[in-house]
Amino acid sequence: MAATDMGFRVIMTEETIWLGGQLTSQAVPPDEHPWIETHGCTRRYRKFRNDVRAYYRQFHPLTTSARRWENLNPGNGWVSRTCLEPRVAVAVLDQMLANAIGTGQLQIFYETVPTSATTGADRVDSVTVLHKKEGATRTIRAKFVLDATELGDLLPMTGTEYRVGSESRSEFGELHALEEANPDDIQGFTWCMAVGFKPGSNNVIEKPAQYEFWRNYSPAITPPWPGKLFSWDVVDAISMERRTFSLFGDWGLFTYRRIVDGSLLETENPVDDVSIINWVQNDHFFKVIDQPEEMVDETYENAKQQSLSLLYWLQTEAERHDGGFGYPELYLCPSAVGTATGLAMAPYHRESRRIRAQKTVTEAHIGVEMRGELGGPEKFTDSVGVGAYRIDLHPSAGGRNSVDLAAYPFQIPLGSLVPERIKNLLPACKNIGVTHITNGCYRLHPVEWNIGESSALLAGFCIKNQLTPQEVTASDELVKEFQRLCVAQGIELDWPTIRPL
């Protein structure tokens, strides 16, 4: 959106049939901060949120009270103020891009992934992409390449220097870093699924092939898990003490990421509630970054089996909030996620390869405990955006349990978008210059959106002024000029609020 609005021609590849990543193909309702309704996101992201609400008012039979709800939360889930169906996010994003597609400024190649690249003189010359179904390849040449893949796939292909997993405490002096670096210390990923609830029905699925394994699985992590992963008892991410959830009632997980709330709809027949199951119980604590393709395929299949096994456990064995065992009323909702199975199109990855950047954001910049008496986050004079979230790291493939730390609302420094060496490749999501620790709060929907916009604007700024990103960051005047462009494009550079999360 940012690049085409600047007048550039863009070619975008998308691995699935839906644009949108977390919002759509991964089926993750937005994780947002408390101030999102008034500030703390880009103008385009705010338009997306407003357009989502307008879409529901136009195309859904909302009740009168729901229609009048100014800050409508379509699913009425408590993880976010805009819990929405992935298919609605797709419709809104497609509409936002319609003009650029119609004018030919934007070409989208769906079901297409990068496979290789050519480089020279610290530049990316071309990227070859593959259509997964047809097997056809094409080579794309462009003045700038933006990597918005979920795992930073272009970084090894282009020889861009990057980090994986956790850094050692000695590298950046982070209070909660490991003593020794561990490339396997990567947060678990999740294969989300959409599940409905129809009172009085019986929808028990066929027993998954791996059910016995996952039913008895206990993560080998430190500090230790309280028992089996399939349980209402989990480890509180902050206190590391046992915490008990349920499906319904107080702290009910079904309403956590609920994307359809039937009580908001006025229909002849009742509409079932639908929720996205993205819990620690279906987090998959196994590494896929920089692993052989056959191992990745096997890991992904295991993750799907884990999610289906969780559903079967919920349907047949989970302790009910109202007595007894099993919720046969639960059922998979393929239409909500655009698949035949009810599982999301793609896995939800919380962590990526990260570029070795000119500036790396560390815990010392934003962590409340490390900032001590400073009373706020590091102020970056080269800010190109903002975000806010706790430092939230899920249990990892390296055997480490959750890390959940208070953080100040933060800025996105321009230097974190600029690789040390490569001159025309920019990170466009969570693959920026952050550490394993700070990735935990730079990986959320509004922040990744902001990073993508800022990277595209930087590419456009460089092309128009015949500069490299490294030349921009080397000049205070150029940084200020670029920041003026960001502000004009609707990007906030600082926070009026510094209350920690």
Side-chain angles (χ1 to χ4, degrees):
M1 294 175 193
T4 55
D5 284 353
M6 287 185 72
F8 291 101
R9 181 179 172 225
V10 177
I11 293 175
M12 181 163 55
T13 64
E14 164 55 44
E15 186 170 358
T16 71
I17 59 172
W18 278 0
L19 294 179
Q22 289 187 58
L23 286 165
T24 61
S25 59
Q26 296 167 38
V28 182
D31 288 292
E32 298 174 336
H33 54 74
W35 308 283
I36 192 68
E37 299 296 353
T38 57
H39 59 280
C41 69
T42 73
R43 186 165 60 210
R44 290 183 181 89
Y45 185 78
R46 188 165 305 286
K47 174 175 169 52
F48 167 77
R49 298 176 86 255
N50 291 338
D51 287 356
V52 163
R53 287 167 171 160
Y55 186 98
Y56 274 93
R57 290 188 175 100
Q58 181 175 356
F59 296 112
H60 286 65
L62 298 176
T63 63
T64 300
S65 59
R67 196 170 296 280
R68 291 174 178 171
W69 185 2
E70 181 181 1
N71 295 327
L72 173 67
N73 186 344
N76 213 9
W78 48 277
V79 72
S80 169
R81 289 163 174 77
T82 46
C83 287
L84 72 154
E85 297 158 86
R87 61 184 181 84
V88 171
V90 174
V92 171
L93 290 171
D94 286 348
Q95 183 59 40
M96 292 177 75
L97 290 166
N99 184 67
I101 294 171
T103 60
Q105 275 185 279
L106 174 61
Q107 285 181 277
I108 305 171
F109 300 146
Y110 290 96
E111 298 181 282
T112 300
V113 295
T115 57
S116 63
T118 61
T119 61
D122 295 336
R123 300 184 68 87
V124 179
D125 296 324
S126 69
V127 177
T128 297
V129 299
L130 169 72
H131 191 282
K132 295 193 298 182
K133 285 190 175 179
E134 298 175 358
T137 62
R138 68 177 81 208
T139 297
I140 301 169
R141 292 174 175 82
K143 292 180 180 179
F144 265 82
V145 176
L146 274 64
D147 183 350
T149 60
E150 281 306 308
L151 297 176
D153 293 338
L154 284 176
L155 304 186
M157 293 180 196
T158 59
T160 303
E161 291 78 9
Y162 65 91
R163 293 184 172 91
V164 170
S166 59
E167 297 84 357
S168 67
R169 184 172 300 179
S170 62
E171 185 167 3
F172 292 108
E174 292 180 303
L175 184 62
H176 291 88
L178 297 174
E179 287 295 335
E180 297 183 2
N182 183 356
D184 292 335
D185 190 29
I186 298 170
Q187 294 182 72
F189 68 91
T190 306
W191 214 295
C192 302
M193 55 185 170
V195 173
F197 186 87
K198 183 180 291 293
S201 66
N202 188 330
N203 311 289
V204 176
I205 62 172
E206 183 179 349
K207 185 177 180 180
Q210 294 183 16
Y211 179 68
E212 295 301 331
F213 173 84
W214 291 112
R215 176 181 179 273
N216 296 300
Y217 176 74
S218 180
I221 55 179
T222 305
W225 202 254
K228 294 178 181 180
L229 186 61
F230 286 5
S231 167
W232 294 126
D233 292 332
V234 304
V235 172
D236 184 271
I238 300 175
S239 68
M240 287 289 109
E241 297 177 354
R242 184 188 298 258
R243 184 177 182 185
T244 301
F245 287 93
S246 63
L247 191 63
F248 297 105
D250 293 340
W251 298 106
L253 290 176
F254 189 85
T255 55
Y256 183 45
R257 286 190 169 90
R258 183 172 54 190
I259 57 172
V260 176
D261 179 357
S263 70
L264 300 182
L265 302 172
E266 194 168 10
T267 57
E268 184 176 345
N269 298 310
V271 174
D272 298 335
D273 287 5
V274 178
S275 182
I276 296 296
I277 308 303
N278 173 18
W279 308 340
V280 70
Q281 289 92 336
N282 60 330
D283 280 0
H284 197 72
F285 312 129
F286 297 87
K287 181 180 178 181
V288 294
I289 295 177
D290 294 336
Q291 299 300 304
E293 184 176 354
E294 59 274 14
M295 185 177 293
V296 173
D297 291 342
E298 181 179 351
T299 301
Y300 282 162
E301 178 57 31
N302 293 342
K304 293 177 183 179
Q305 279 285 310
Q306 181 181 350
S307 287
L308 292 173
S309 295
L310 174 60
L311 174 62
Y312 187 79
W313 176 80
L314 289 168
Q315 291 176 323
T316 61
E317 296 192 54
E319 185 176 358
R320 292 180 65 100
H321 70 292
D322 54 0
F325 296 89
Y327 290 93
E329 303 98 325
L330 295 170
Y331 62 93
L332 287 162
C333 294
S335 62
V337 290
T339 66
T341 62
L343 295 170
M345 290 182 185
Y348 167 42
H349 288 287
R350 296 176 177 86
E351 193 166 335
S352 168
R353 301 174 180 91
R354 308 180 298 276
I355 67 165
R356 288 185 175 268
Q358 289 192 336
K359 184 176 292 183
T360 302
V361 181
T362 73
E363 185 184 354
H365 292 129
I366 61 172
V368 171
E369 188 175 355
M370 282 203 73
R371 298 294 292 172
E373 297 179 358
L374 295 173
E378 180 81 10
K379 290 291 186 180
F380 293 116
T381 58
D382 62 342
S383 172
V384 292
V386 296
Y389 206 73
R390 290 181 64 87
I391 295 173
D392 175 15
L393 301 171
H394 285 227
S396 81
R400 191 185 195 192
N401 210 324
S402 299
V403 177
D404 195 309
L405 309 169
Y408 287 108
F410 51 83
Q411 296 168 303
I412 304 166
L414 176 60
S416 70
L417 307 185
V418 180
E420 293 176 335
R421 181 178 59 85
I422 299 294
K423 295 181 173 65
N424 69 333
L425 180 142
L426 296 172
C429 51
K430 54 185 171 285
N431 50 354
I432 65 171
V434 291
T435 64
H436 168 71
I437 297 292
T438 54
N439 163 81
C441 57
Y442 276 76
R443 64 176 175 80
L444 291 311
H445 303 63
V447 187
E448 288 204 74
W449 184 300
N450 194 150
I451 291 166
E453 283 197 47
S454 298
S455 288
L457 294 176
L458 178 58
F461 183 82
C462 288
I463 293 170
K464 288 193 172 183
N465 293 284
Q466 297 184 320
L467 297 165
T468 66
Q470 291 80 2
E471 289 172 329
V472 176
T473 57
S475 165
D476 290 343
E477 286 304 312
L478 287 173
V479 169
K480 291 177 182 176
E481 184 180 347
F482 177 62
Q483 287 176 313
R484 287 192 289 270
L485 170 64
C486 288
V487 171
Q489 289 282 323
I491 293 176
E492 299 176 20
L493 304 186
D494 202 357
W495 283 93
T497 305
I498 59 168
R499 177 169 66 83
L501 289 173

